[in-house]
Amino acid sequence: MMFAEYKNDSLYIEKVAFADIARQFGTPCYVYSRAALLESAREFMEAFPDALLCYAVKANGNLAVLETFAKLGCGFDIVSGGELARVIAAGGTPSKIVYSGVGKTAEEIECALNAGILCFNVESFSELDLIAAVAEKLKLMAPVSFRVNPDVDPKTHPYISTGLKENKFGIPIEACLDAYRRAAALPYIRVIGIDMHIGSQLTAIAPFADAVQKLLPVIDALNREGISLHHIDLGGGIGVTYRDETVPPLKEWAAAAQRILGNRAERLIVEPGRRMVARAGFLLSRVIHLKPGSPHQFAIVDAAMNDLMRPALYEAWHPVLPVVQHHDVPKTHWNIVGPVCETADFLAKDRALSLKQNDWIAVGVAGAYGSSMSSNYNARPRAAEVMVDGDRAYLIRKRETIESLFANETGLIL
Ligand code: LLP
């Protein structure tokens, strides 16, 4: 299903014209289709009917997005005390939260234990000891799984590969049995699962399947030692089409896991982020200046790398759609850049578009790792966020004010 399409040369998201959103809420502004969010969550629930779907909050932690998923019964994958607080504020169920990440602090562990989360995905021996100490202090049992680093190449951008030996993530597969033995002997630790996450924006099933395959001997060896697990967490990472990547349908990923795991008793968990939100989101922006020249022609827009960092950080390609299509202006190859003082500040390069000053553009597939990675660089307030539901558009996050950017600063107090 298409959530954005042209009607009489004007781009719509569901039944609302992007131009009306730009006039009402201003730019730059993130715009999400609620129908698209619901569709991707349902797609996961159908492909993995027996699994607990734990949406990876880092992809987009807006409360309205989290609430949309919480209402469907989703769980959440978090990586900080901040994300825990967001999930709880959005009405998420603590007993459906898994907590990943290599640097959990004692304070964060305490909050998560007190909240009653489902599981800590433990990434080092040191972290296990810290969780054990905090749990003992609180006299609460800590449920844990170990994130196994299976040493497979996910064949994605090196900055978002996580399952290779050289990466900081997880426990080397050879050390896993020792980790489980140590955990099983600790009084306030309850071993309940095993976990993996090999990387993000995966477009091929084979590395994912290889990693799942590598978990099996570990689980079997644990069973032989009397350590039985309740769940197997397959992580996230399933990619989306930004440009021309072909990504197998969700059902094929599920079938691959099923073929390897068979009818095991352990419950499956999946932790998708990008695939749940990427296509639902657009970054709406206005052309401030056109700067023709040689060798590049620049369209300078009011959104920048601080709003959408992916092109600067990973040279990521996002589609750029004019909000109103002109037929009276010839197409020019534009580099779409922001006002930030960095050469890496581009949203797109070499796009053939008919643009006029003050036109609006929508950068597509921007719902994941867009707003959540935004910053205030160059003292730029973070963009507003809007959710569209049918023929209505709701402001779900106000644009930051300039005053709020320095509200926590004291000035010189010597
Ligand atoms: N689980 C864990 C433990 C993770 O680290 C991640 C993402 C996910 C699940 C969700 O992965 P997804 O389904 O979204 O691929 N900023 C980068 C992506 C970083 C992903 C970090 N971890 C980007 O914009 O491409």
Side-chain angles (χ1 to χ4, degrees):
M1 181 172 170
M2 282 290 289
F3 298 99
E5 59 187 0
Y6 287 99
K7 286 182 214 158
N8 300 327
D9 291 332
S10 179
L11 187 65
Y12 279 70
I13 175 165
E14 299 193 24
K15 294 190 177 125
V16 182
F18 275 100
D20 289 336
I21 297 174
R23 275 186 215 104
Q24 187 177 352
F25 302 104
T27 56
C29 165
Y30 274 98
V31 188
Y32 308 111
S33 155
R34 183 157 179 275
L37 296 175
L38 294 174
E39 189 185 87
S40 52
R42 293 206 177 106
E43 204 191 340
F44 263 101
M45 288 170 166
E46 276 169 35
F48 295 89
D50 300 320
L52 175 64
L53 179 57
C54 288
Y55 165 66
V57 175
K58 64 172 82 68
N60 188 323
N62 184 292
L63 293 190
V65 172
L66 301 184
E67 210 178 316
T68 302
F69 293 145
K71 285 207 164 106
L72 293 177
C74 281
F76 296 93
D77 167 58
I78 60 165
V79 290
S80 68
E83 289 190 350
L84 174 65
R86 275 188 175 276
V87 169
I88 290 171
T93 307
S95 62
K96 291 183 182 171
I97 295 176
V98 295
Y99 189 170
S100 306
V102 295
K104 304 174 189 80
T105 65
E107 293 75 20
E108 290 176 313
I109 292 165
E110 185 163 337
C111 287
L113 277 171
N114 282 326
I117 66 164
L118 174 63
C119 191
F120 291 92
N121 290 337
V122 179
E123 305 220 18
S124 63
F125 283 77
S126 171
E127 180 189 335
L128 174 66
D129 291 344
L130 184 58
I131 294 173
V134 176
E136 181 154 12
K137 186 186 88 177
L138 299 178
K139 305 281 178 267
L140 288 173
M141 290 298 287
V144 304
S145 73
F146 286 99
R147 174 169 175 182
V148 176
N149 182 326
D151 194 24
V152 298
D153 184 351
K155 304 262 179 344
T156 184
H157 190 284
Y159 289 6
I160 51 178
S161 296
T162 53
L164 281 164
K165 219 183 170 105
E166 69 212 47
N167 301 135
K168 69 179 173 183
F169 298 98
I171 298 201
I173 193 148
E174 319 78 60
C176 273
L177 283 181
D178 279 345
Y180 276 102
R181 287 181 192 126
R182 177 143 146 199
L186 290 165
Y188 283 90
I189 295 287
R190 189 155 44 92
V191 171
I192 64 163
I194 191 163
D195 167 47
M196 62 172 243
H197 172 78
I198 58 169
S200 197
Q201 183 55 12
L202 311 179
T203 52
I205 295 180
F208 168 79
D210 286 352
V212 178
Q213 184 76 53
K214 285 190 167 188
L215 296 183
L216 286 186
V218 180
I219 303 172
D220 291 339
L222 289 172
N223 273 327
R224 283 195 296 275
E225 296 196 17
I227 303 175
S228 64
L229 305 180
H230 297 278
H231 73 244
I232 302 174
D233 181 341
L234 302 177
I238 299 177
V240 298
T241 302
Y242 285 97
R243 188 176 193 174
D244 49 13
E245 308 88 331
T246 45
V247 185
L250 282 189
K251 282 198 168 7
E252 290 183 22
W253 299 79
Q258 172 78 36
R259 263 195 304 280
I260 297 164
L261 297 170
N263 291 322
R264 298 191 70 99
E266 298 89 351
R267 185 182 196 193
L268 282 190
I269 294 181
V270 284
E271 300 171 355
R274 187 188 318 266
R275 185 72 176 232
M276 295 270 284
V277 290
R279 287 171 296 187
F282 296 80
L283 174 58
L284 181 58
S285 178
R286 181 177 62 86
V287 176
I288 306 174
H289 299 294
L290 291 175
K291 193 171 171 183
S294 174
H296 298 301
Q297 331 259 13
F298 296 103
I300 300 162
V301 300
D302 64 1
M305 65 186 288
N306 73 295
D307 300 300
L308 179 64
M309 201 180 178
R310 304 193 70 258
L313 196 55
Y314 318 114
E315 293 187 80
W317 191 100
H318 284 260
V320 175
L321 306 165
V323 164
V324 177
Q325 282 179 317
H326 306 299
H327 300 288
D328 56 339
V329 185
K331 283 197 168 145
T332 305
H333 285 255
W334 296 106
N335 282 3
I336 315 284
V337 301
V340 162
C341 301
E342 298 268 352
T343 301
D345 180 27
F346 66 92
L347 298 178
K349 286 185 174 168
D350 203 20
R351 301 301 170 86
L353 295 166
S354 308
L355 288 181
K356 295 182 190 172
Q357 192 171 24
N358 289 322
D359 274 358
W360 292 297
I361 56 159
V363 181
V365 205
Y369 306 108
S371 174
S372 63
M373 288 174 76
S374 64
S375 80
N376 293 122
Y377 187 39
N378 278 206
R380 291 170 51 83
R382 281 193 183 76
E385 292 179 83
V386 169
M387 178 139 2
V388 171
D389 184 27
D391 57 3
R392 308 283 301 269
Y394 302 89
L395 183 66
I396 56 169
R397 180 182 180 164
K398 289 184 197 161
R399 182 179 310 289
E400 281 180 339
T401 62
I402 287 175
E403 296 70 36
S404 74
L405 301 186
F406 45 84
N408 289 341
E409 295 173 37
T410 60
L412 192 59
I413 51 168
L414 301 181

